[in-house]
């Protein structure tokens, strides 16, 4: 049975950024490293733009996984930051789950490194607890397309929705009339070709 369409709602969504750590980022090979980091920061910009509660978590920072990507820490200075001492599945950390439930949101937008572990495990756990889960595929990374695709299949079969950060932003925004310049600027900052589109629009509008 096909799951009915569950539309993202900015009033009922929270963002979970899982294990975007300097060491783990070196493992990402299923997407170009520069594009991947751009996508992660684009998702972070979306979280701020739509004022979505955002929770950051890391795993075993003092080990080879390394610290959180510094830009994320700077972008969310007041957000819950859960440095897990060792739990591989973030959902096994009581503070992480408490922070999620404290938001009161039922839709969880999740991205992380690596896809089949740090993303898939909490995604499956959240679905089991009744959350609607949206995985930002291009802000999540892993070793190769084979392991990525297997993880996507596993999460999709459990009911998670696979999305890009761009698709996510558009679904949250609903209507261009809500704000052309603001969202257009966000897109332009992360998609070079979109900058050309916005420049064309602003030029035409000023005539």
């Amino acid at each position: 049975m096909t799951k009915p369409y569950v539309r993202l709602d900015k009033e009922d969504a929270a963002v979970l950024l899982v294990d975007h750590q300097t060491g783990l980022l070196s493992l990402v090979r299923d997407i170009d490293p520069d594009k991947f980091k751009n996508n992660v920061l684009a998702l972070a910009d979306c979280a701020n733009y739509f004022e979505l509660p955002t929770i950051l978590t890391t795993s075993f920072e003092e080990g080879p996984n390394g610290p959180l990507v510094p830009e994320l820490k700077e972008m969310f200075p007041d957000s819950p930051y859960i440095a897990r001492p060792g739990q591989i599945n973030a959902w096994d950390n009581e503070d992480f789950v408490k922070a999620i439930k404290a938001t009161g949101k039922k839709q969880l937008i999740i991205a992380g490194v690596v896809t089949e572990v740090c993303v898939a495990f909490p995604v499956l756990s959240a679905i089991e607890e009744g959350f609607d889960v949206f995985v930002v595929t291009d802000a999540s990374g892993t070793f190769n397309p084979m392991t990525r695709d297997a993880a996507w299949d596993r999460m999709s079969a459990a009911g998670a929705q696979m999305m890009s950060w761009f698709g996510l932003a558009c679904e949250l925004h609903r209507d261009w009339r809500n704000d052309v310049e603001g969202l257009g600027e966000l897109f332009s900052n992360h998609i070079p070709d979109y900058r050309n589109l916005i420049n064309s629009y602003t030029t035409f509008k000023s005539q």
Side-chain angles (χ1 to χ4, degrees), residues 184 187-189 191-204:
F187 287 165
S188 297
N189 288 340
I191 306 173
D193 289 341
Y194 213 93
R195 172 66 64 187
N196 297 332
L197 184 152
I198 291 296
N199 286 342
S200 174
Y201 164 76
T202 54
T203 301
F204 176 77

Side-chain angles (χ1 to χ4, degrees), residues 141-154:
T142 188
F143 305 105
N144 56 59
M146 182 185 298
T147 56
R148 176 199 65 204
D149 292 351
W152 287 355
D153 287 346
R154 186 183 188 195

Side-chain angles (χ1 to χ4, degrees), residues 4-5 14 23 64 77-78 87 103-104 107-108 117 134 142 155 179 186 192:
Y5 176 33
D78 301 319
Q87 297 98 338
T103 68
Q107 296 184 339
L108 301 181
V117 176
F134 303 77
T142 188
M155 291 185 283
D179 178 21
L186 190 158

